[in-house]
Amino acid sequence: MDAQGRGQAGDDNVDPADQWVFDPNTGNYELRLDPAGQAAARPSDRRAPGSRRAARKPGGEVDDTDTRPLPAQGGRRGGRGADEAEERPPGGRAARRSGSRSASASVAGPASRRKRKPKASGKKKALYWTAGVVGFVLVAGCGGAFYLYQQLNGNINKVDVGVENDAVSDGPVNVLIIGTDARSGKGNSGYGDAGSVGHADTTLLMHISKDRSNATALSIPRDMITDIPDCPTKQKDGSTKTIPGEHGVRFNTSLGQEGRDPGCTWRTVEKLTGLKIDHFMMADFNAVKELSTAVDGVEVCAAKDLNDPKSHLRLKAGRHTVMGEQALAFVRTRHAIGFGSDLDRIKMQQQFLSSLIRKLKSDAFSSPSKLYAVSQAATKALTVDTGIGSASKLLDFGQDLKRVNIDKITFATVPVLDNPNDKATVILDKGKAEPLFAMVRADHALAKGKKGKGKKAPVSKAPPGLVRVDVTNGGGPIGSAQETVDWLQNSKGARLSTNAGNAPTKLSATRLEYAPNQADQAATLADWMGLSKSALKKSSQNAGDRVPMKLTLGKDFTAPGTPIAAPTELPDNVQNVNADDKNVCAK
């Protein structure tokens, strides 16, 4: 039985594990508990490594049948090689006789009456082994992922702004994206203002719709004059210090100045737009350099040769792939394009970001190495709020927002006017900005308003002195008609507006009735009042020269100057670009 002295085959002291033998007819190992019915194994029954074993059939015929190796066990006493290990029975005890090392073989003899023990086939064994390896790889992969998670987690800087929203929301999401002009970081000493602690140099408010079908990114001019509210900021010792607000200052001073943190810019944008912000992301010059390099460059377009000595951008007309320092120069340039203003630079940034989004959507995550590079670059460059202040939260946040299609992402610039008191700054164009903000607050997609073939050109507007309208109150607060007429005459210069008293019927929504030849007057009044297209009712016939339009204030009216309802299409003459538009070129 055993070469090391277990006794003879007929001994009662037989280990059942030694009775497992291979049956070539079934391809399985069987437990034979009746050793008296087994013939002694012959040397000729032993096979060389890799050979086939000849199994005897009744009648003496030889069947050239593939045999299955026994489960091998390493570290066997006696130093047996792999060839012999193949023939060991399951359980780790080989069937051995004294003075020999015969292998167990299949023999013809009386079959055991005992029920065969179920045993896995060769294919099942292979599956078990494969599953084990896959399991090992998964565990190893999870270990690597955990290491990567820890590494990315350590890259992220976060600021407690006193608001901690969940990473994932069921409703619309508003994300404040801030690019600072801080000079910190390798190779950045030549950029920005020498003594700057970092301003809100580039600011976008990204609104993602509730159903994740579209997104709007509003660029806020850094030199726009606005009000900064009081701002509570967390100090290093854990205390909270409230920084007093300011009236009539540049928007970019909402960050850095007087110790203001991103929470101050957060509150300034909320006050400006009426939108509640959920999260913020802040990055410096390095973000552009590292992200553009991580994705192997971003394609940009120049409609003419560009040479800006300030940003050091030099590009020939045409398409180029920029990365690193050249990418940063592209988003910083303004002196070589348009009128050389910050509004022109915003267009460059929107072109770059649109192209970067297309690149990220197309192939940035096509390989583990590229995914790693992008993840490293993004997390190292970002400072975020505590609501998304970890790699796992950022991942959840990104997974939630990635459903938006590129052609439904629209960049628009908050409308502004030249500041009559300071040529270096601008002021909010409320007539255009308020409808735009209302549209975003109402979760309406700007993408539907992009200009296309067959769309009618916008109607020209009549000067204020030619706007003739009768105002009636059909559901607004008491005195609304007179209040509106006073506002039109004194604030807008519409001297031909009159109070026509109460309307004969109540209306749920404000309505403006006009004739075809009054379309220019209607366009002017709709712009002032913030009327949507659904509020405009055009008659079929022209009106006489002195016949006024009819404005009926409905229950939706609150006060003159406040938009009646959110428009469903982008207001005219608001600069915008679709992220999927590959034909945008700097000029």
Side-chain angles (χ1 to χ4, degrees), residues 486-545:
D486 292 342
W487 177 75
L488 288 172
Q489 293 183 354
N490 299 327
S491 298
K492 297 299 181 182
R495 302 296 180 184
L496 299 179
S497 56
T498 59
N499 179 1
N502 291 325
T505 57
K506 299 291 184 180
L507 299 179
S508 59
T510 298
R511 183 170 64 198
L512 175 62
E513 300 173 71
Y514 68 99
N517 60 335
Q518 296 171 328
D520 56 345
Q521 297 181 51
T524 300
L525 186 58
D527 188 22
W528 290 341
M529 299 289 294
L531 299 175
S532 63
K533 289 189 176 181
S534 61
L536 307 182
K537 304 297 180 183
K538 184 171 66 173
S539 62
S540 59
Q541 296 181 348
N542 288 334
D545 293 340

Side-chain angles (χ1 to χ4, degrees), residues 553-576:
L553 305 177
K555 295 180 181 179
D556 58 350
F557 177 83
T558 55
T562 301
I564 304 299
T568 56
E569 292 192 13
L570 189 68
D572 294 332
N573 301 318
V574 172
Q575 183 276 328
N576 69 98

Side-chain angles (χ1 to χ4, degrees), residues 256-322:
Q257 303 302 297
E258 308 299 332
R260 295 188 177 102
D261 65 11
C264 300
T265 307
W266 177 313
R267 290 168 174 81
T268 301
V269 173
E270 285 188 338
K271 181 178 177 64
L272 173 70
T273 64
L275 288 156
K276 286 294 182 182
I277 294 174
D278 297 282
H279 302 289
F280 87 85
M281 296 180 175
M282 183 173 68
D284 58 16
F285 292 135
N286 285 327
V288 175
K289 294 191 290 186
E290 293 176 5
L291 268 176
S292 61
T293 301
V295 298
D296 298 328
V298 176
E299 184 181 79
V300 296
C301 177
K304 62 179 183 179
D305 293 348
L306 302 179
N307 185 359
D308 188 344
K310 296 287 187 180
S311 69
H312 309 293
L313 177 68
R314 291 179 178 83
L315 285 180
K316 292 290 185 181
R319 297 186 180 275
H320 305 270
T321 298
V322 297

Side-chain angles (χ1 to χ4, degrees), residues 301-308 313 330-349 585-587:
C301 177
K304 62 179 183 179
D305 293 348
L306 302 179
N307 185 359
D308 188 344
L313 177 68
F330 186 87
V331 299
R332 291 186 65 243
T333 197
R334 64 184 177 93
H335 295 287
I337 55 172
F339 297 103
S341 70
D342 183 55
L343 298 178
D344 294 307
R345 175 161 46 195
I346 286 175
K347 296 177 184 178
M348 301 284 280
Q349 294 166 352
C585 293
K587 55 186 178 181

Side-chain angles (χ1 to χ4, degrees), residues 161 227-233 241-247 254 260-261 263-268 270-271:
V161 297
D227 296 336
I228 301 175
D230 293 346
C231 178
T233 60
K241 176 184 177 181
T242 298
I243 301 173
E246 290 187 87
H247 174 74
S254 63
R260 295 188 177 102
D261 65 11
C264 300
T265 307
W266 177 313
R267 290 168 174 81
T268 301
E270 285 188 338
K271 181 178 177 64

Side-chain angles (χ1 to χ4, degrees), residues 26-238:
T26 64
N28 293 325
Y29 289 95
E30 299 176 5
L31 182 63
R32 301 288 177 85
L33 296 181
D34 185 8
Q38 295 183 18
R42 296 179 297 273
S44 60
D45 289 336
R46 298 168 63 183
R47 61 188 178 93
S51 68
R52 297 176 182 269
R53 174 177 297 163
R56 300 267 177 194
K57 291 183 178 181
E61 295 180 5
V62 176
D63 184 13
D64 187 20
T65 307
D66 287 341
T67 60
R68 315 282 177 161
L70 293 170
Q73 288 185 340
R76 175 80 178 180
R77 286 197 310 252
R80 295 191 176 191
D83 303 340
E84 295 168 300
E86 280 186 338
E87 299 186 16
R88 295 183 191 131
R93 294 191 175 100
R96 289 169 251 171
R97 295 187 179 275
S98 177
S100 69
R101 297 192 299 178
S102 300
S104 297
S106 173
V107 293
S112 172
R113 294 182 180 181
R114 295 181 180 271
K115 190 176 182 179
R116 291 179 180 177
K117 180 179 179 180
K119 192 67 177 177
S121 67
K123 288 183 179 180
K124 288 184 179 179
K125 286 190 180 76
L127 289 176
Y128 294 157
W129 180 85
T130 304
V133 173
V134 171
F136 173 78
V137 171
L138 286 176
V139 171
C142 288
F146 179 75
Y147 169 76
L148 178 59
Y149 162 79
Q150 291 291 83
Q151 192 176 42
L152 296 179
N153 213 39
N155 291 343
I156 302 170
N157 294 315
K158 54 189 175 184
V159 173
D160 184 356
V161 297
V163 180
E164 185 167 343
N165 296 318
D166 292 337
V168 179
S169 168
D170 292 333
V173 177
N174 296 308
V175 185
L176 186 64
I177 302 172
I178 307 170
T180 76
D181 59 357
R183 293 156 54 89
S184 60
K186 184 178 179 180
N188 293 332
S189 59
Y191 305 127
D193 299 329
S196 174
V197 293
H199 301 84
D201 196 54
T202 299
T203 305
L204 296 98
L205 177 58
M206 177 74 79
H207 171 85
I208 300 91
S209 67
K210 180 178 180 179
D211 61 4
R212 306 298 186 259
S213 66
N214 64 86
T216 297
L218 298 180
S219 296
I220 302 175
R222 66 174 192 178
D223 297 322
M224 183 182 67
I225 299 300
T226 190
D227 296 336
I228 301 175
D230 293 346
C231 178
T233 60
K234 289 283 187 179
Q235 305 300 301
K236 292 182 179 180
D237 62 2

